[in-house]
Amino acid sequence: MSPKRLSKKRLTLINPVNNVRSGFAVNPSSRFPPLGLGILASLTPDDWEVELLDENFAPFSYRDADLVGITAFTSAANRAYEIASIYRDQGVPVVMGGIHASMCSDEALRFADAVVVGEAESVWRQVLADAQSGRLRGLYHGQWLDPDRVAPPRRDIYSDEYVFASVQTSRGCPLDCEFCSVTAYNGRRYRRRPVADVLDELETLNNEMVFFVDDNIIGNGASCRKQALELFQGMVARGMNKTWFCQASISVADDAEVLDWAARAGCRMIFIGIEAEDIGALTEVNKRLNLKKGASAYQETFDRIHASGISVLGAFIFGMDSDTPEALFRRAEFMVNSDVDAMQLTTMTPLPGTRLFQRLEEEERLLYTNFPNDWAHYDLTKLVHRPKSMPPDELWDIIRQCTERVYDLRTLKTKAKRTLETTGSMEATEFAYRTNINYRNIGLALGTLV
Ligand code: SF4
């Protein structure tokens, strides 16, 4: 070992996974690299040696470190605290960040020496300097960064087993749906990275498959549309040969030219938050764009996307206040019988930092409040609140029945045939079918399907 190597400090970054929810790792294609940790690694000076312990692939085992950085989604918060405590017992300082620690910073601070609230880039160097001088101090508040300052992640810290590379082209959302914490975390202003930066980053990827993690890759308004178009055209011009999926608002279907270039650039599936097929439920969660179009426009949306050879992954929520048993069975039938290709069925979940959480807490309707232990239940598959129009047991029973109906293998095979007919694309069909099978496997692993 060289003296230089010996003099380096060791930064250990940790991506914890909810043990109960490890069913989500049943297929390598349903795991995605922790982008935030990769970005922190790239912002860490050379006098630190950086490694990633990633529970997506192996359960945590202790590695010595001078500083530990842990991120976590809410459902893995408890696991993050467990690991943080192991290091702190050894006298190793721990800094936590990411969406859960940002939304529950006081709680996280009980388990860490420091907590970064919000986007960490603007304060990361300060955190490292303070750690080095033994002066880590409580809360650090990250700024919402100008998009041209977003660094690409250091991808060499990720496992080679990740099928998809995660790439971010924008941050922020002006829409503020009741159940979502994106606006609180990334702000209302939609910030798009310069197209050339994203194209340069894409050219460095070894993975052929890409997931654009943006909440809405097309954004809103004419200038966002122009930049999305430039991105897709740039991918074609540079001969990238990637196949990818992304998330977008329902408005993506309004623009045939954008869809056409997305498909030519390798887009095979678009995730759209449909949430519900009825107006009352959409009003309840403030899903403004869907409301503006009207729920009857969904089929037209699917048709337009299919016409470009792209499949649709529709996300649906079960358990809103206006959901009666009839409405839920109707929603499941809509999922099965409409031309949506892949289907995500989640249970309404009040995540911390959302207006939904605040409302249900005020109304004393949270079923699990022994935090932080009970965060493990907040994984989008379980019922964690008392519904308005029926007892919890009844809603849970209906969700299970609907899950059985939606992910029945015959349904999924029929869907795949239909996707091939409507998109004319074998790749788009494979994307959608595999996604459905992943969700089915998750249901089997978690016991919501038998
Ligand atoms: S659900 Fe989507 S549209 Fe609504 S606030 Fe979150 S990111 Fe924005």
Side-chain angles (χ1 to χ4, degrees):
M1 197 179 287
S2 73
K4 186 159 183 269
R5 163 91 169 68
L6 276 175
S7 70
K8 283 197 177 193
K9 294 243 176 200
R10 182 190 287 264
L11 168 66
T12 298
L13 300 172
I14 298 175
N15 184 36
V17 171
N18 175 341
N19 289 337
V20 183
R21 205 172 183 260
S22 55
F24 273 79
V26 285
N27 184 315
S29 66
S30 62
R31 293 175 265 193
F32 300 98
L35 193 57
L37 295 181
I39 291 175
L40 293 187
S42 80
L43 295 175
T44 301
D46 281 349
D47 53 344
W48 288 84
E49 187 180 345
V50 184
E51 70 169 345
L52 171 66
L53 301 185
D54 190 348
E55 285 204 307
N56 266 332
F57 295 98
F60 165 79
S61 80
Y62 187 84
R63 298 283 296 270
D64 205 8
D66 296 296
L67 176 67
V68 169
I70 310 182
T71 186
F73 291 113
T74 291
S75 63
N78 220 26
R79 177 69 173 151
Y81 297 150
E82 204 172 87
I83 295 172
S85 300
I86 293 171
Y87 277 102
R88 291 184 88 205
D89 286 348
Q90 298 298 316
V92 178
V94 172
V95 55
M96 300 192 77
I99 183 73
H100 183 83
S102 295
M103 297 301 146
C104 299
S105 53
D106 289 344
E107 173 193 282
L109 209 45
R110 287 172 24 217
F111 299 91
D113 299 278
V115 171
V116 177
V117 177
E119 297 175 10
E121 287 104 328
S122 62
V123 291
W124 185 240
R125 292 271 183 148
Q126 188 63 51
V127 169
L128 292 175
D130 289 352
Q132 233 163 338
S133 59
R135 289 202 303 267
L136 266 184
R137 47 166 178 92
L139 296 181
Y140 293 77
H141 290 272
Q143 307 292 310
W144 285 321
L145 216 60
D146 285 339
D148 56 351
R149 289 180 55 214
V150 172
R154 237 184 81 181
R155 295 184 187 274
D156 61 299
I157 65 167
Y158 297 143
S159 163
D160 292 338
E161 288 181 58
Y162 277 114
V163 175
F164 286 92
S166 298
V167 176
Q168 188 171 46
T169 79
S170 67
R171 290 179 183 174
C173 178
L175 294 173
D176 201 17
C177 300
E178 192 194 27
F179 55 82
C180 178
S181 53
V182 166
T183 308
Y185 188 57
N186 296 115
R188 278 181 183 274
R189 187 163 69 90
Y190 184 81
R191 292 164 289 149
R192 186 184 276 289
R193 293 174 62 199
V195 169
D197 288 5
V198 179
L199 290 171
D200 290 348
E201 183 181 335
L202 284 165
E203 278 188 324
T204 67
L205 302 181
N206 295 325
N207 307 59
E208 188 215 321
M209 313 268 262
V210 173
F211 170 39
F212 285 108
V213 301
D214 309 44
D215 296 291
N216 183 5
I217 198 168
I218 55 155
N220 303 292
S223 74
C224 290
R225 173 201 183 268
K226 183 168 164 278
Q227 284 173 310
L229 205 53
E230 280 169 11
L231 173 66
F232 305 148
Q233 289 171 336
M235 290 175 75
V236 174
R238 294 201 198 183
M240 301 239 177
N241 286 326
K242 303 291 182 199
T243 47
W244 50 274
F245 79 105
C246 64
Q247 307 184 97
S249 70
I250 195 166
S251 311
V252 70
D254 295 346
D255 196 321
E257 190 183 12
V258 166
L259 283 172
D260 180 49
W261 278 100
R264 288 165 70 175
C267 180
R268 298 294 173 257
M269 186 168 74
I270 301 178
F271 176 110
I272 297 178
I274 306 289
E275 325 306 2
E277 75 306 330
D278 80 72
I279 296 294
L282 292 173
T283 307
E284 181 188 323
V285 295
N286 192 32
K287 194 77 190 180
R288 283 190 269 153
L289 282 182
N290 297 28
L291 274 169
K292 202 165 131 195
K293 277 193 164 297
S296 58
Y298 284 147
Q299 186 56 45
E300 194 185 340
T301 299
F302 304 150
D303 289 346
R304 287 182 180 187
I305 296 172
H306 289 155
S308 297
I310 298 171
S311 60
V312 177
L313 164 54
F316 295 82
I317 299 177
F318 282 58
M320 301 179 208
D321 281 355
S322 57
D323 280 343
T324 59
E326 299 71 35
L328 292 169
F329 288 122
R330 227 177 12 246
R331 189 160 307 143
E333 288 310 308
F334 178 83
M335 292 169 77
V336 169
N337 296 314
S338 71
D339 273 344
V340 70
D341 305 285
M343 304 165 289
Q344 185 195 69
L345 187 162
T346 56
T347 305
M348 184 75 157
T349 303
L351 293 169
T354 62
R355 287 182 291 112
L356 178 66
F357 184 91
Q358 201 182 348
R359 179 167 68 82
L360 294 181
E361 192 178 40
E362 281 165 13
E363 294 172 5
E364 298 185 354
R365 289 170 57 200
L366 298 177
L367 292 173
Y368 297 96
T369 56
N370 180 26
F371 302 127
N373 284 2
D374 279 348
W375 290 128
H377 298 295
Y378 287 62
D379 68 356
L380 309 184
T381 66
K382 300 191 185 64
L383 183 60
V384 297
H385 76 285
R386 188 170 296 107
K388 212 162 200 174
S389 45
M390 65 193 100
D393 285 356
E394 187 182 352
L395 174 56
W396 185 238
D397 187 50
I398 291 170
I399 288 174
R400 287 179 70 117
Q401 288 182 56
C402 291
T403 307
E404 295 275 358
R405 169 78 175 119
V406 164
Y407 297 114
D408 181 275
L409 261 186
R410 282 163 304 188
T411 302
L412 302 188
K413 285 181 181 160
T414 306
K415 281 260 173 215
K417 277 190 206 142
R418 182 76 186 139
T419 303
L420 189 55
E421 281 167 21
T422 54
T423 64
S425 163
M426 184 54 86
E427 277 186 316
T429 304
E430 273 178 26
F431 257 74
Y433 184 67
R434 283 190 188 160
T435 301
N436 279 329
I437 292 293
N438 279 348
Y439 287 137
R440 179 184 154 80
N441 287 343
I442 289 163
L444 290 169
L446 296 177
T448 42
L449 273 172
V450 287

